[in-house]
Amino acid sequence: MIYYMVAIANGFLNTINKMVNVKAGECLGTARGALINYIEATIIAFCLVYITGKGGEFRIEYIKEVPVLFYLGSVCGLAAMIFLIIGTRKTGAMTSTVLMLLGQLGTSIALDYVFFDTFRPIQILGIFLILVGIAWKEKIRETGNQKEVVMINEEEIE
């Protein structure tokens, strides 16, 4: 049960993180907004390492021993942050979050198949249902925008 609660908290924090970074990107520019996020994360990570009483991770010898593949996470994270800042500005928080979830689900299905040789077609149905939900939400939003434009035009005519 605790793991489900942690996952929900992660989703909550990711959404807040997303919106703060989008606002930082709007105010400072995309690259600078992402840089602020990574500077903060670096400082917090340094503090956590020192609080745990271990500082050996900062030695060059240790850094060289870490497999290069492990550094790929930060590269993917930075690219994701930049895409998030750019995409959320145009799509809004809800659509961006759902589309990000869609990408995560698709990638997890592919990685489960590659690493664990597992695949269940019902997972594809779940992704399809998410797509239908996004399309429905966008259709409702467009209808609302059209009604708003009509009302504004009618007010201007009067």
Side-chain angles (χ1 to χ4, degrees):
M1 182 64 165
I2 187 77
Y3 299 111
Y4 294 111
M5 293 172 66
V6 168
I8 291 170
N10 183 31
F12 176 76
L13 293 172
N14 272 329
T15 303
I16 292 173
N17 177 43
K18 174 194 303 195
M19 295 315 297
V20 169
N21 288 320
V22 168
K23 284 297 179 188
E26 287 175 357
C27 295
L28 306 172
T30 302
R32 289 186 180 122
L35 177 64
I36 291 297
N37 180 69
Y38 274 80
I39 288 172
E40 291 171 12
T42 301
I43 291 169
I44 292 168
F46 280 144
C47 291
L48 287 173
V49 168
Y50 281 117
I51 288 170
T52 61
K54 299 175 180 149
E57 293 87 351
F58 299 120
R59 291 178 299 119
I60 295 296
E61 299 81 29
Y62 178 82
I63 293 171
K64 287 180 180 177
E65 290 175 6
V66 175
V68 176
L69 176 65
F70 294 166
Y71 292 108
L72 186 59
S74 62
V75 173
C76 290
L78 179 58
M81 180 63 57
I82 290 170
F83 292 159
L84 177 139
I85 290 170
I86 294 168
T88 303
R89 280 189 205 156
K90 300 294 182 186
T91 63
M94 174 71 171
T95 301
S96 174
T97 301
V98 172
L99 291 172
M100 187 170 70
L101 175 64
L102 183 70
Q104 290 173 337
L105 291 171
T107 303
S108 67
I109 289 170
L111 292 177
D112 277 349
Y113 181 72
V114 169
F115 291 120
F116 304 112
D117 199 30
T118 60
F119 176 77
R120 293 188 315 253
I122 193 82
Q123 294 171 319
I124 302 298
L125 176 63
I127 291 175
F128 176 74
L129 290 174
I130 290 170
L131 285 172
V132 168
I134 292 170
W136 188 18
K137 177 196 171 291
E138 289 300 312
K139 180 82 169 154
I140 291 170
R141 187 175 66 90
E142 285 177 20
T143 304
N145 288 343
Q146 289 172 353
K147 287 180 183 177
E148 208 173 285
V149 168
V150 169
M151 289 175 61
I152 290 171
N153 287 339
E154 288 175 356
E155 289 175 5
E156 290 175 357
I157 292 172
E158 294 174 2

